[in-house]
Amino acid sequence: MTTGAQRLEAARHRLESLGVRLTPQRRVVLEVLAAQPERHFSAQELYERARRRAPALGLATVYRALLLFERAGVVSRLNVGQEEDRFEFELERGHHHHHLVCLGCGRILEFKEDLLEDLEARIQAETGFQIVDHRVHFTGYCPRCRARGVAPPSP
Amino acid sequence: MTTGAQRLEAARHRLESLGVRLTPQRRVVLEVLAAQPERHFSAQELYERARRRAPALGLATVYRALLLFERAGVVSRLNVGQEEDRFEFELERGHHHHHLVCLGCGRILEFKEDLLEDLEARIQAETGFQIVDHRVHFTGYCPRCRARGVAPPSP
DNA sequence: ATGCCTGCAAACATTTTGCATAGCG
DNA sequence: CGCTATGCAAAATGTTTGCAGGCAT
C-alpha cells in the first residue's frame, strides 16, 4: 500500500521532471491534496485548508497551482453538474476510479475500477483520436438518499 | 432512421407526461435543439439561434427551459473542462454516445457506442447506488490537431 | 539583474434570482 | 381569477487577469 509520503514523492518527481518548481505555496496545496486522496476538494475548500498552514496564501495562487498540477497529471479536475470544479490527487496514471454523483445530496461516491481501456483502444483505432485521459461519472441516488425516499421510483 | 419530427414528437410526449407545459418559447428552444442532434450548444448559442424565431426571447428563459428539459431527460448537459455547459438533444434514454474532447482545438467529436451497461449493473449491485444516467468523456487530440503537430508525443 | 511567483483587487463569464407584467387554464 | 411563465436587470458565483512587489536564481 502506498503511503502519503510516497505519493508526495512521486508527485514531486513528476513536477520536477516537467520543470515545475515546487514553491512553498504550491507545496502546501499539494500536501493538502495528497493527505487525503479519495477526496474531492473545491478550490475554495482547498484554499481554506491550505491557509491554515500558509495564512498569506491567495486564492488565485491556489487556482494557478491547480492548473499546473492538472497539466502535470498530478491532480485531476472533476466537472460535475452545476457545481464548482473539484480536484483530487491523482495517484498514478491509468489507475482510475469512477465517480458516482448523488442527485439527492450531492455527495460523490467512488467506485474503484476502470474498465475503459478496451474502449479507449477501440476509439483510437477507429477514429484516430489520441486519448490522453478520460472522465466518467454516473449520476443517480446513493443508498442513503434511497433509504430516505429521495430517489424517484425507477422508470 | 428517426426524423427530426419524430424526435420532437417523442420529446413533446415526454414533457407532457411529466406535466411540463410546452410554451412558445420552450418550443422554439426545443426545436432548435432537435433540429440538430449531435450538436453541442452553449446556452448563448442556443439563445442566439432561438432568437431568430422569437426575437423577444430572454436568455434566462433559455436557461430555465434547459433545466426543465434536462430534468425531463429530453436534453442532456455536457460539462467539459473550463468551458461553459453545452446542451444536446437526447434521443432516447439508454442510447448514449461518448464525447471526445480535443485539448488542441476544443472540438467535441462523438463516438457512437455505449458499453457501460454492464458496469452500471455491477455498480448498482455492489454499492446500492441507483444509477440514473452517466457521462463519459475522453480528452485527447483529434486527428486534425495530431496532423498539425499540436499533440504532444505519447508518453 | 532577470525572470518567475505571489497577493490583491478588479475584471470576466456564466448562470441564477427578484420582480413586475403578461398569458394561459 | 389564480398560477405559471416571461423579460429584464441585477446579483451571485466561480474563475481568470493585470499589476506591483518579492523571491530566487
Side-chain angles (χ1 to χ4, degrees), chain A residues 62-84:
Chain A
V62 172
Y63 275 106
R64 285 186 279 231
L66 288 169
L67 191 61
L68 237 45
F69 295 163
E70 188 192 9
R71 291 206 178 124
V74 158
V75 153
S76 65
R77 179 188 302 257
L78 231 69
N79 281 106
V80 8
Q82 327 283 68
E83 294 166 23
E84 350 87 284

Side-chain angles (χ1 to χ4, degrees), chain A residues 117-131:
Chain A
E117 259 106 53
D118 292 351
L119 186 52
E120 283 195 3
R122 282 193 47 208
I123 291 174
Q124 303 210 38
E126 293 183 28
T127 68
F129 191 93
Q130 176 188 339
I131 295 174

Side-chain angles (χ1 to χ4, degrees), chain B residues 21 24 43 59-60 63-64 77 84-85:
Chain B
R21 273 219 314 259
L59 180 56
Y63 275 105
R64 286 187 278 232
R77 179 188 303 258
E84 348 88 286
D85 288 0

